Amino acid sequence: MTRPWTEAVPADTRQLSIGELSARMEAGSLSAVELMQELVARTKAVEGRVRAFNSFDEADALAQARASDERRAGARRLGRGAVRPLEGIPVGIKDVISVAGQPLTASSRMLENFVSPYDATVTERLKDAGAVCWGRLNLDEFAMGSSTENSAFGATSNPWDLERVPGGSSGGSAAAVAAGEAVAALGSDTGGSIRQPAALCSVVGLKPTYGRVSRYGLIAFASSLDQIGPFARSVRDAAVLLGAIAGHDPRDSTSVRLEVPDYARGVDELAKSGRKWRLGIPKEYFGEGLDPEVGAAVEEAIGEYRRMGCEVREVSLPHTKYAIATYYIIATAECSSNLARFDGVRYGHRSREATDALDIYFKSRAEGFGQEVKRRIILGTYVLSSGYYDAYYLRAQKVRTLIRGDFLQAYREVDAIVTPTSPTPAFRKGEKAADPLAMYLNDIYTIGVNLAGLPGMSVPCGFTKAGLPVGLQIIGQPFKETELLAIGAAYEERTQWHGRVPPL
Amino acid sequence: MPGPDLKLDHVASLARIALTADEKARFASQLGEVLSYIAQLNEVDVSGVEPTAHAFPVVNVWAADVPQPGLSVEDALRNAPQVRDNMFVVPRVVE
């Protein structure tokens, strides 16, 4: 029987980790330019089917790769190895994170012609780490959605089944890594927008603790929930990327003044120590709505942890059922405020029909925003409006306290919590497009993590009979990303799911 | 919590978004459904619970009061819909 992932692996670098690619470049058997050329060729070959990118700048990427090769050659002449952790590694960037001189559309008509005047902090840090910033990756408009169908410029396809969605909102980032169009990518996660597409596309996706990574230069959706994080081929690659982008930034006052550990080394040390993790399984995450094949794959992964000698015990997160309702009050309230800046005056779309000042707002926003963005702005405006604030917004903030308290209570007895990332595998395009509530319910397992500000990661943990990927979510304690990554790496080492590539 | 009594015209006006008749009909039903779902928060006993605005509140973040380089005029105006003499052009607001 032929399964999608048993197809012959093409003779390219698609399955190599950042460590392996770096070793080849250091040994001189691969140059950054050659790697970039290969990705450009790969991207051109599959983009017609996948459509992960809103745009890419081939000449700019190759120039960055050339500069990287020159830096490496310069270091070699001085008898040194390359010192930058991502030297020559092409990293795709979600089209909601600024890269100076490149388009920044948020997949919205509102910003169709916008060009970033400056770099986001994460972009600066990637460049400092030697990475090649590669392309502008598709998303649900302003990161609002779970399928990347809400893009004004066209939906992205799941590389494992082109009829299905890649998840969202960072669907372009997940699909580009899965399809071999980028070695790694950055996305943003407000309610699951990194972890859910990572699960649906069989790649690793990490949402760091709120405050671990600067949000400066990220187009704001819900500022108390948004966090930037990496997509990668392996947990160790994600560790290297997190190390490059994490850290305090005076330009984001919510970024924390905590030292950034060497995550990759920390993961190796914890692996060597043979530490037996205490893992919590929240019973509320395994009930109604969970696809049986997803449930079985996650149970099998939990069994793998038991076989490693980890202590697995049931925990309770009693307010889980209220997470989505809480989220759709808080996130929409914050988005209605954040997106007020798109007024057609200083940047972004301005209606040609507008005749006076108010008219500019009403018509530019009507023409520039898509349906889901309008729905959320209206809902958020309502829950903040006079007479409703206490009933909706304040109450939701209090329930948020209870949801966070559930997790902190559980962490008194476990190191991490293990769950499915998404209740179902990738759904068909169009299946939930007309039913916003059904789309929202898809985020049931990921949203609580954002409300509580915790780090969470999805790692590939199997496939359904139809060949669709399943993701395992591991939820860590605040600012303990090293432990979170180590728990993921321990599973990855004993399984082969992360090596699979889709037949494209 | 009040029932789903969202007055779409009023709220869309507060949000400064002009809606078509088609959008009004669709949003009224979709948002009605979402608000009915959200109403389940009424079940939760929140008496004595403090609200959470940020998971890790950071207070009193001070910055040294020293000038920093900002965007050049050219960069600041680069994405403007309409520009004249280094200024954003908008319709007349005062008669």
Short mmCIF file of all heavy atoms in Angstrom, two decimals, chain A residues 200-257:
data_model
loop_
_atom_site.label_atom_id
_atom_site.label_comp_id
_atom_site.label_asym_id
_atom_site.label_seq_id
_atom_site.Cartn_x
_atom_site.Cartn_y
_atom_site.Cartn_z
N LEU A 200 -1.51 20.88 11.03
CA LEU A 200 -2.20 20.47 9.81
C LEU A 200 -1.23 20.23 8.65
O LEU A 200 -1.60 19.61 7.66
CB LEU A 200 -3.25 21.52 9.43
CG LEU A 200 -4.66 21.33 10.01
CD1 LEU A 200 -4.68 20.96 11.47
CD2 LEU A 200 -5.55 22.54 9.74
N CYS A 201 0.00 20.78 8.76
CA CYS A 201 0.98 20.63 7.68
C CYS A 201 2.17 19.76 8.07
O CYS A 201 3.14 19.64 7.32
CB CYS A 201 1.48 22.00 7.23
SG CYS A 201 0.24 23.00 6.40
N SER A 202 2.15 19.18 9.28
CA SER A 202 3.23 18.29 9.72
C SER A 202 4.60 18.97 9.81
O SER A 202 5.60 18.45 9.32
CB SER A 202 3.33 17.04 8.81
OG SER A 202 4.01 16.01 9.49
N VAL A 203 4.60 20.13 10.45
CA VAL A 203 5.88 20.78 10.78
C VAL A 203 5.84 21.17 12.26
O VAL A 203 4.80 21.07 12.91
CB VAL A 203 6.16 22.04 9.91
CG1 VAL A 203 6.30 21.64 8.45
CG2 VAL A 203 5.07 23.09 10.07
N VAL A 204 6.98 21.59 12.79
CA VAL A 204 7.02 22.05 14.18
C VAL A 204 6.65 23.53 14.22
O VAL A 204 7.13 24.31 13.40
CB VAL A 204 8.44 21.83 14.77
CG1 VAL A 204 8.55 22.45 16.16
CG2 VAL A 204 8.77 20.35 14.82
N GLY A 205 5.79 23.90 15.15
CA GLY A 205 5.42 25.31 15.32
C GLY A 205 5.43 25.68 16.79
O GLY A 205 4.83 24.97 17.60
N LEU A 206 6.12 26.77 17.12
CA LEU A 206 6.29 27.15 18.53
C LEU A 206 5.76 28.56 18.79
O LEU A 206 6.18 29.52 18.14
CB LEU A 206 7.78 27.11 18.90
CG LEU A 206 8.17 27.70 20.26
CD1 LEU A 206 7.62 26.88 21.40
CD2 LEU A 206 9.69 27.81 20.37
N LYS A 207 4.83 28.66 19.72
CA LYS A 207 4.42 29.98 20.23
C LYS A 207 5.12 30.20 21.56
O LYS A 207 4.88 29.49 22.52
CB LYS A 207 2.92 30.06 20.48
CG LYS A 207 2.50 31.45 20.96
CD LYS A 207 1.19 31.48 21.71
CE LYS A 207 1.33 31.39 23.21
NZ LYS A 207 1.81 32.64 23.86
N PRO A 208 6.02 31.17 21.64
CA PRO A 208 6.74 31.41 22.90
C PRO A 208 5.82 32.02 23.96
O PRO A 208 4.72 32.45 23.66
CB PRO A 208 7.84 32.40 22.49
CG PRO A 208 7.88 32.37 20.99
CD PRO A 208 6.50 32.02 20.55
N THR A 209 6.31 32.06 25.19
CA THR A 209 5.61 32.76 26.28
C THR A 209 5.36 34.20 25.87
O THR A 209 6.23 34.84 25.26
CB THR A 209 6.48 32.77 27.55
OG1 THR A 209 6.95 31.45 27.80
CG2 THR A 209 5.68 33.28 28.75
N TYR A 210 4.17 34.74 26.23
CA TYR A 210 3.91 36.14 25.94
C TYR A 210 4.99 37.00 26.59
O TYR A 210 5.28 36.86 27.78
CB TYR A 210 2.53 36.54 26.49
CG TYR A 210 2.19 37.96 26.15
CD1 TYR A 210 1.68 38.28 24.90
CD2 TYR A 210 2.42 38.98 27.05
CE1 TYR A 210 1.39 39.60 24.56
CE2 TYR A 210 2.14 40.30 26.72
CZ TYR A 210 1.63 40.59 25.47
OH TYR A 210 1.36 41.90 25.13
N GLY A 211 5.63 37.86 25.79
CA GLY A 211 6.68 38.73 26.31
C GLY A 211 8.09 38.23 26.03
O GLY A 211 9.06 38.94 26.25
N ARG A 212 8.20 36.99 25.54
CA ARG A 212 9.53 36.42 25.27
C ARG A 212 10.15 37.02 24.01
O ARG A 212 11.37 37.19 23.90
CB ARG A 212 9.38 34.90 25.13
CG ARG A 212 10.62 34.08 24.90
CD ARG A 212 11.58 34.00 26.07
NE ARG A 212 12.33 35.22 26.30
CZ ARG A 212 13.34 35.33 27.15
NH1 ARG A 212 13.69 34.29 27.89
NH2 ARG A 212 13.97 36.47 27.30
N VAL A 213 9.27 37.32 23.02
CA VAL A 213 9.74 37.85 21.73
C VAL A 213 9.08 39.22 21.50
O VAL A 213 7.89 39.39 21.74
CB VAL A 213 9.35 36.88 20.59
CG1 VAL A 213 9.74 37.46 19.23
CG2 VAL A 213 9.99 35.51 20.80
N SER A 214 9.86 40.16 21.04
CA SER A 214 9.34 41.51 20.78
C SER A 214 8.29 41.49 19.67
O SER A 214 8.45 40.81 18.66
CB SER A 214 10.49 42.43 20.36
OG SER A 214 9.96 43.65 19.84
N ARG A 215 7.23 42.28 19.87
CA ARG A 215 6.20 42.40 18.84
C ARG A 215 6.38 43.66 18.00
O ARG A 215 5.55 43.96 17.13
CB ARG A 215 4.82 42.43 19.51
CG ARG A 215 4.45 41.11 20.19
CD ARG A 215 3.08 41.17 20.87
NE ARG A 215 3.09 42.09 21.99
CZ ARG A 215 2.45 43.27 22.01
NH1 ARG A 215 1.75 43.68 20.97
NH2 ARG A 215 2.51 44.05 23.07
N TYR A 216 7.48 44.39 18.22
CA TYR A 216 7.71 45.61 17.45
C TYR A 216 7.85 45.27 15.96
O TYR A 216 8.67 44.43 15.58
CB TYR A 216 8.98 46.30 17.94
CG TYR A 216 9.31 47.58 17.20
CD1 TYR A 216 8.63 48.75 17.46
CD2 TYR A 216 10.29 47.58 16.22
CE1 TYR A 216 8.92 49.92 16.76
CE2 TYR A 216 10.60 48.75 15.52
CZ TYR A 216 9.91 49.91 15.80
OH TYR A 216 10.20 51.06 15.11
N GLY A 217 7.02 45.90 15.15
CA GLY A 217 7.07 45.63 13.70
C GLY A 217 6.14 44.51 13.27
O GLY A 217 6.09 44.17 12.10
N LEU A 218 5.38 43.95 14.21
CA LEU A 218 4.31 43.00 13.89
C LEU A 218 3.02 43.81 13.82
O LEU A 218 2.73 44.58 14.74
CB LEU A 218 4.19 41.94 14.99
CG LEU A 218 2.92 41.05 14.97
CD1 LEU A 218 2.97 40.07 13.80
CD2 LEU A 218 2.77 40.30 16.29
N ILE A 219 2.24 43.67 12.74
CA ILE A 219 0.96 44.38 12.67
C ILE A 219 0.07 43.83 13.77
O ILE A 219 -0.18 42.62 13.82
CB ILE A 219 0.30 44.21 11.29
CG1 ILE A 219 1.17 44.88 10.21
CG2 ILE A 219 -1.10 44.82 11.31
CD1 ILE A 219 0.58 44.76 8.81
N ALA A 220 -0.38 44.70 14.68
CA ALA A 220 -1.09 44.25 15.87
C ALA A 220 -2.50 43.77 15.53
O ALA A 220 -3.23 44.42 14.79
CB ALA A 220 -1.16 45.39 16.88
N PHE A 221 -2.86 42.61 16.09
CA PHE A 221 -4.23 42.11 16.01
C PHE A 221 -4.83 42.23 17.41
O PHE A 221 -5.64 43.11 17.67
CB PHE A 221 -4.20 40.68 15.46
CG PHE A 221 -5.41 39.82 15.71
CD1 PHE A 221 -6.63 40.35 16.12
CD2 PHE A 221 -5.34 38.45 15.51
CE1 PHE A 221 -7.74 39.53 16.35
CE2 PHE A 221 -6.44 37.63 15.73
CZ PHE A 221 -7.64 38.17 16.16
N ALA A 222 -4.39 41.39 18.35
CA ALA A 222 -4.84 41.50 19.74
C ALA A 222 -3.58 41.55 20.60
O ALA A 222 -2.93 40.54 20.85
CB ALA A 222 -5.70 40.31 20.12
N SER A 223 -3.26 42.76 21.06
CA SER A 223 -1.93 43.00 21.62
C SER A 223 -1.62 42.22 22.90
O SER A 223 -0.46 41.98 23.20
CB SER A 223 -1.75 44.49 21.89
OG SER A 223 -1.93 45.20 20.70
N SER A 224 -2.63 41.81 23.66
CA SER A 224 -2.34 41.07 24.88
C SER A 224 -2.20 39.57 24.61
O SER A 224 -1.92 38.79 25.53
CB SER A 224 -3.42 41.32 25.94
OG SER A 224 -4.55 40.50 25.73
N LEU A 225 -2.39 39.16 23.37
CA LEU A 225 -2.34 37.74 23.00
C LEU A 225 -1.29 37.42 21.94
O LEU A 225 -0.76 36.32 21.90
CB LEU A 225 -3.71 37.29 22.47
CG LEU A 225 -4.92 37.53 23.39
CD1 LEU A 225 -6.23 37.37 22.61
CD2 LEU A 225 -4.90 36.58 24.57
N ASP A 226 -1.01 38.38 21.06
CA ASP A 226 -0.11 38.16 19.92
C ASP A 226 1.29 37.77 20.38
O ASP A 226 1.82 38.36 21.32
CB ASP A 226 0.08 39.44 19.09
CG ASP A 226 -1.20 39.95 18.42
OD1 ASP A 226 -2.15 39.18 18.29
OD2 ASP A 226 -1.20 41.14 18.02
N GLN A 227 1.90 36.83 19.70
CA GLN A 227 3.30 36.50 19.93
C GLN A 227 3.87 35.90 18.65
O GLN A 227 3.21 35.12 17.98
CB GLN A 227 3.43 35.54 21.12
CG GLN A 227 4.84 35.31 21.65
CD GLN A 227 5.52 36.54 22.29
OE1 GLN A 227 6.68 36.51 22.58
NE2 GLN A 227 4.80 37.62 22.49
N ILE A 228 5.10 36.30 18.32
CA ILE A 228 5.78 35.80 17.12
C ILE A 228 6.54 34.52 17.48
O ILE A 228 7.09 34.42 18.58
CB ILE A 228 6.77 36.85 16.57
CG1 ILE A 228 6.01 38.10 16.12
CG2 ILE A 228 7.61 36.27 15.42
CD1 ILE A 228 6.91 39.28 15.77
N GLY A 229 6.56 33.57 16.57
CA GLY A 229 7.32 32.35 16.84
C GLY A 229 7.70 31.63 15.56
O GLY A 229 7.24 31.99 14.47
N PRO A 230 8.56 30.60 15.68
CA PRO A 230 9.09 29.90 14.51
C PRO A 230 8.29 28.68 14.05
O PRO A 230 7.65 28.01 14.85
CB PRO A 230 10.47 29.45 14.99
CG PRO A 230 10.30 29.22 16.46
CD PRO A 230 9.26 30.20 16.92
N PHE A 231 8.38 28.42 12.75
CA PHE A 231 8.01 27.15 12.13
C PHE A 231 9.31 26.49 11.70
O PHE A 231 10.19 27.17 11.16
CB PHE A 231 7.18 27.36 10.87
CG PHE A 231 5.76 27.78 11.14
CD1 PHE A 231 5.44 29.11 11.32
CD2 PHE A 231 4.75 26.85 11.19
CE1 PHE A 231 4.13 29.50 11.56
CE2 PHE A 231 3.43 27.22 11.41
CZ PHE A 231 3.12 28.55 11.60
N ALA A 232 9.43 25.17 11.89
CA ALA A 232 10.69 24.53 11.54
C ALA A 232 10.47 23.06 11.20
O ALA A 232 9.39 22.51 11.42
CB ALA A 232 11.67 24.67 12.71
N ARG A 233 11.52 22.47 10.66
CA ARG A 233 11.48 21.06 10.29
C ARG A 233 11.66 20.15 11.49
O ARG A 233 11.36 18.95 11.42
CB ARG A 233 12.58 20.77 9.27
CG ARG A 233 12.37 21.49 7.97
CD ARG A 233 13.57 21.34 7.06
NE ARG A 233 13.30 22.01 5.78
CZ ARG A 233 14.18 22.11 4.79
NH1 ARG A 233 15.39 21.58 4.93
NH2 ARG A 233 13.86 22.73 3.69
N SER A 234 12.23 20.69 12.56
CA SER A 234 12.48 19.87 13.74
C SER A 234 12.44 20.76 14.97
O SER A 234 12.52 22.00 14.87
CB SER A 234 13.85 19.20 13.66
OG SER A 234 14.87 20.18 13.78
N VAL A 235 12.32 20.13 16.15
CA VAL A 235 12.28 20.88 17.40
C VAL A 235 13.60 21.62 17.61
O VAL A 235 13.62 22.77 18.05
CB VAL A 235 11.98 19.93 18.57
CG1 VAL A 235 12.14 20.64 19.90
CG2 VAL A 235 10.58 19.35 18.44
N ARG A 236 14.71 20.97 17.28
CA ARG A 236 16.01 21.64 17.47
C ARG A 236 16.15 22.86 16.58
O ARG A 236 16.72 23.88 16.98
CB ARG A 236 17.15 20.65 17.26
CG ARG A 236 17.42 19.83 18.51
CD ARG A 236 18.66 18.97 18.37
NE ARG A 236 19.02 18.38 19.67
CZ ARG A 236 18.35 17.41 20.28
NH1 ARG A 236 17.25 16.91 19.70
NH2 ARG A 236 18.73 16.94 21.44
N ASP A 237 15.64 22.79 15.36
CA ASP A 237 15.65 23.97 14.49
C ASP A 237 14.83 25.10 15.12
O ASP A 237 15.24 26.27 15.10
CB ASP A 237 15.04 23.65 13.11
CG ASP A 237 16.02 22.91 12.20
OD1 ASP A 237 17.11 22.53 12.69
OD2 ASP A 237 15.69 22.71 11.02
N ALA A 238 13.70 24.73 15.70
CA ALA A 238 12.85 25.75 16.35
C ALA A 238 13.61 26.38 17.51
O ALA A 238 13.49 27.59 17.76
CB ALA A 238 11.54 25.12 16.83
N ALA A 239 14.41 25.57 18.22
CA ALA A 239 15.19 26.08 19.36
C ALA A 239 16.21 27.12 18.88
O ALA A 239 16.39 28.17 19.50
CB ALA A 239 15.89 24.93 20.08
N VAL A 240 16.86 26.83 17.76
CA VAL A 240 17.86 27.76 17.21
C VAL A 240 17.18 29.08 16.81
O VAL A 240 17.67 30.18 17.11
CB VAL A 240 18.58 27.14 15.99
CG1 VAL A 240 19.52 28.15 15.34
CG2 VAL A 240 19.34 25.88 16.41
N LEU A 241 16.02 28.96 16.16
CA LEU A 241 15.31 30.17 15.73
C LEU A 241 14.82 30.99 16.91
O LEU A 241 14.93 32.22 16.91
CB LEU A 241 14.11 29.77 14.85
CG LEU A 241 14.50 29.44 13.42
CD1 LEU A 241 13.51 28.48 12.80
CD2 LEU A 241 14.57 30.71 12.58
N LEU A 242 14.28 30.32 17.93
CA LEU A 242 13.80 31.05 19.09
C LEU A 242 14.95 31.81 19.73
O LEU A 242 14.81 32.98 20.10
CB LEU A 242 13.15 30.10 20.11
CG LEU A 242 12.66 30.81 21.38
CD1 LEU A 242 11.56 31.82 21.06
CD2 LEU A 242 12.18 29.81 22.42
N GLY A 243 16.11 31.15 19.84
CA GLY A 243 17.27 31.81 20.43
C GLY A 243 17.66 33.07 19.66
O GLY A 243 18.10 34.06 20.25
N ALA A 244 17.45 33.03 18.35
CA ALA A 244 17.82 34.19 17.52
C ALA A 244 16.85 35.35 17.70
O ALA A 244 17.26 36.51 17.66
CB ALA A 244 17.88 33.77 16.05
N ILE A 245 15.56 35.08 17.89
CA ILE A 245 14.58 36.18 17.89
C ILE A 245 14.15 36.63 19.28
O ILE A 245 13.56 37.70 19.43
CB ILE A 245 13.30 35.82 17.08
CG1 ILE A 245 12.58 34.60 17.68
CG2 ILE A 245 13.65 35.58 15.62
CD1 ILE A 245 11.23 34.32 17.03
N ALA A 246 14.44 35.85 20.33
CA ALA A 246 13.93 36.16 21.67
C ALA A 246 14.73 37.28 22.31
O ALA A 246 15.86 37.58 21.91
CB ALA A 246 13.98 34.91 22.55
N GLY A 247 14.13 37.89 23.34
CA GLY A 247 14.87 38.86 24.14
C GLY A 247 14.15 40.18 24.31
O GLY A 247 13.26 40.53 23.53
N HIS A 248 14.58 40.91 25.32
CA HIS A 248 13.96 42.19 25.63
C HIS A 248 14.22 43.20 24.52
O HIS A 248 15.26 43.17 23.87
CB HIS A 248 14.51 42.74 26.95
CG HIS A 248 13.98 44.08 27.29
ND1 HIS A 248 14.74 45.24 27.19
CD2 HIS A 248 12.75 44.47 27.68
CE1 HIS A 248 13.99 46.27 27.53
NE2 HIS A 248 12.79 45.84 27.84
N ASP A 249 13.23 44.07 24.31
CA ASP A 249 13.34 45.10 23.29
C ASP A 249 12.72 46.37 23.85
O ASP A 249 11.52 46.38 24.18
CB ASP A 249 12.59 44.63 22.03
CG ASP A 249 12.52 45.70 20.95
OD1 ASP A 249 13.25 46.71 21.05
OD2 ASP A 249 11.75 45.50 20.00
N PRO A 250 13.49 47.43 23.99
CA PRO A 250 12.93 48.67 24.54
C PRO A 250 11.76 49.20 23.71
O PRO A 250 10.95 49.99 24.21
CB PRO A 250 14.10 49.65 24.53
CG PRO A 250 15.26 48.97 23.93
CD PRO A 250 14.92 47.53 23.68
N ARG A 251 11.63 48.76 22.46
CA ARG A 251 10.54 49.27 21.63
C ARG A 251 9.22 48.50 21.82
O ARG A 251 8.21 48.84 21.22
CB ARG A 251 10.97 49.22 20.15
CG ARG A 251 12.13 50.18 19.87
CD ARG A 251 12.67 50.02 18.47
NE ARG A 251 13.23 48.69 18.26
CZ ARG A 251 13.89 48.33 17.17
NH1 ARG A 251 14.09 49.19 16.20
NH2 ARG A 251 14.35 47.11 17.06
N ASP A 252 9.27 47.42 22.61
CA ASP A 252 8.04 46.71 22.99
C ASP A 252 8.04 46.61 24.50
O ASP A 252 8.74 45.77 25.08
CB ASP A 252 7.98 45.31 22.35
CG ASP A 252 6.80 44.49 22.86
OD1 ASP A 252 5.98 45.02 23.65
OD2 ASP A 252 6.69 43.31 22.46
N SER A 253 7.24 47.46 25.15
CA SER A 253 7.29 47.53 26.61
C SER A 253 6.72 46.27 27.27
O SER A 253 6.86 46.08 28.47
CB SER A 253 6.54 48.77 27.12
OG SER A 253 5.20 48.71 26.70
N THR A 254 6.07 45.39 26.50
CA THR A 254 5.60 44.13 27.08
C THR A 254 6.61 43.00 26.92
O THR A 254 6.36 41.88 27.38
CB THR A 254 4.26 43.68 26.45
OG1 THR A 254 4.46 43.40 25.06
CG2 THR A 254 3.18 44.73 26.60
N SER A 255 7.72 43.26 26.27
CA SER A 255 8.76 42.23 26.19
C SER A 255 9.50 42.24 27.54
O SER A 255 9.70 43.29 28.14
CB SER A 255 9.72 42.49 25.04
OG SER A 255 10.51 43.65 25.25
N VAL A 256 9.87 41.06 28.02
CA VAL A 256 10.38 40.96 29.39
C VAL A 256 11.91 41.04 29.44
O VAL A 256 12.60 40.64 28.50
CB VAL A 256 9.92 39.66 30.08
CG1 VAL A 256 8.41 39.64 30.23
CG2 VAL A 256 10.42 38.46 29.32
N ARG A 257 12.39 41.57 30.56
CA ARG A 257 13.83 41.66 30.79
C ARG A 257 14.32 40.38 31.42
O ARG A 257 14.60 40.31 32.60
CB ARG A 257 14.14 42.82 31.74
CG ARG A 257 13.94 44.18 31.12
CD ARG A 257 14.27 45.26 32.11
NE ARG A 257 14.00 46.57 31.56
CZ ARG A 257 14.85 47.22 30.75
NH1 ARG A 257 16.01 46.69 30.43
NH2 ARG A 257 14.52 48.40 30.27
#
